[in-house]
Amino acid sequence: MKAVLHYRASEGFRAALAAYARTAGVTAVVVDEFDDAAFAREIADAEVLLHVLKPVTAQMLGGALNLRLVQKLGVGVNTIDLEAAKAAGVAVSNMPGTNSQAVAEMALALMMSVLRRLSYLDPLTRQGQGWAPDPDLIDGVGELCGRTVGFVGYGGSASRLGPALEALGAKVIYTARSEKPDLPGRFTTLEGVLTGADIVSLHLPLTPQTQRMIDAKALASMKRGAILINTARGGLVDEPALVSALCSGHLRGAGLDVFGQEPVDPDNPLLGLPNVVLAPHQAWLTPETLDRSLAAAFENIRRLQAGEPLLNQVA
């Protein structure tokens, strides 16, 4: 059986993939997401596609006549044409929970980085000017302790983050499809989170219902001086409206690991704002996450070979 990893993988990622593949007796090929010619060549006779971020389109699937499984290394399947996969008879599975710890830690890191203005202090210090910062900017730093953090969505990553925030002295409120009595925090509505939180952190999938749910109206309803954190999907946020809220001073800042367009456009105005901390969709990416993800992927490959039901099949 042949599997193609469609990702610009590090040496460590490649080595881990090779080790799992040897044990499973699988031929594993790594193709850079920007090398379309190599992908077309390698996917032509592959039975498994290990999908990370680059969208899986109907055209892609049309060139993969032997394909039996698209295995998402992660949770969100909004980058996969599920209807085209279904029409082609290709199963789609994801792996909820494998990256929850990493995403929770990145969300916490972004909260602290925005509160402590690290995007301003780091380059200033490297330039030898860190001992003479703008006093007005330093007046804008703060602590998590005593603040209210609101989760929009209370799944795997947020449920790990909630207890840590409470241990640091923050108060947790959340909105979700149902109340979570075993988790920290107070259940409320989306409006309750937006109006009541000092930090709003997004932890939900991108669907037609959640597309740009954090729009100009939602941002205007947030507290003046609040912070927005997004480690979920860029499409949840109306980016021009977010830029306006940040430039006007209505929002203190934002911590973003995801964007509406990825890779992010170098001309995106968010990249030029001093009150924003940015990362290139890396919240999930740790060696620990990769090991958990490869273990889940190769269990599904084993099941595929054995004709057993797949884990977490979504299509």
Side-chain angles (χ1 to χ4, degrees):
M1 180 170 284
K2 178 180 176 180
V4 173
L5 171 64
H6 198 197
Y7 189 63
R8 180 174 286 183
S10 66
E11 288 302 315
F13 194 173
R14 288 170 181 265
L17 174 64
Y20 272 98
R22 280 194 302 271
T23 301
V26 171
T27 300
V29 178
V30 180
V31 178
D32 191 301
E33 289 170 302
F34 297 95
D35 193 339
D36 293 337
F39 179 75
R41 182 176 66 252
E42 296 294 350
I43 201 64
D45 61 347
E47 292 172 83
V48 177
L49 171 60
L50 301 176
H51 164 65
V52 182
L53 290 174
K54 185 161 184 177
V56 178
T57 64
Q59 181 179 0
M60 271 187 181
L61 294 168
L65 299 182
N66 294 337
L67 197 65
R68 299 170 61 191
L69 171 64
V70 175
Q71 176 65 65
K72 169 71 177 185
L73 300 187
V75 182
V77 293
N78 60 290
T79 50
I80 303 170
D81 188 331
L82 297 179
E83 291 303 316
K86 189 182 299 183
V90 177
V92 178
S93 287
N94 66 352
M95 46 183 68
T98 56
N99 64 13
S100 296
Q101 184 66 36
V103 174
E105 292 185 12
M106 176 64 97
L108 180 60
L110 289 172
M111 291 177 193
M112 291 181 163
S113 296
V114 175
L115 278 170
R116 302 305 296 270
R117 301 302 302 266
L118 292 188
S119 61
Y120 168 69
L121 293 173
D122 177 88
L124 198 71
T125 305
R126 293 174 188 274
Q127 296 161 14
Q129 302 174 40
W131 284 261
D134 183 335
D136 292 335
L137 287 173
I138 297 304
D139 283 345
V141 304
E143 299 177 354
L144 274 170
C145 184
R147 283 185 161 80
T148 297
V149 178
F151 295 134
V152 182
Y154 209 1
S157 59
S159 65
R160 286 163 170 79
L161 186 53
L165 290 168
E166 285 200 335
L168 288 167
K171 178 183 176 183
V172 174
I173 60 176
Y174 68 93
T175 188
R177 284 177 291 186
S178 60
E179 191 169 357
K180 314 288 184 182
D182 297 332
L183 294 175
R186 177 175 60 84
F187 181 54
T188 184
T189 61
L190 174 61
E191 181 182 7
V193 168
L194 294 175
T195 59
D198 301 297
I199 300 172
V200 173
S201 190
L202 307 181
H203 299 270
L204 71 168
L206 179 62
T207 68
Q209 293 72 39
T210 62
Q211 181 85 27
R212 293 188 178 84
M213 66 183 298
I214 306 301
D215 56 12
K217 181 179 179 182
L219 292 165
S221 72
M222 291 171 63
K223 289 183 178 182
R224 183 168 185 83
I227 290 168
L228 180 69
I229 303 294
N230 191 5
T231 54
R233 287 293 184 269
L236 298 170
V237 178
D238 181 334
E239 287 185 354
L242 176 59
V243 170
S244 295
L246 290 164
C247 290
S248 71
H250 179 69
L251 292 189
R252 174 194 297 252
L256 307 174
D257 182 58
V258 288
F259 300 87
Q261 175 188 327
E262 294 179 351
V264 65
D265 186 338
D267 294 327
N268 188 320
L270 286 168
L271 275 59
L273 299 183
N275 53 344
V276 179
V277 178
L278 305 169
H281 207 141
Q282 297 280 301
W284 67 282
L285 190 54
T286 65
E288 294 87 350
T289 289
L290 292 179
D291 186 65
R292 291 188 292 266
S293 299
L294 289 173
F298 277 88
E299 171 58 19
N300 259 356
I301 289 173
R302 184 198 67 76
R303 287 170 176 253
L304 188 68
Q305 291 173 313
E308 298 176 7
L310 298 173
L311 297 173
N312 302 307
Q313 185 171 350
V314 297

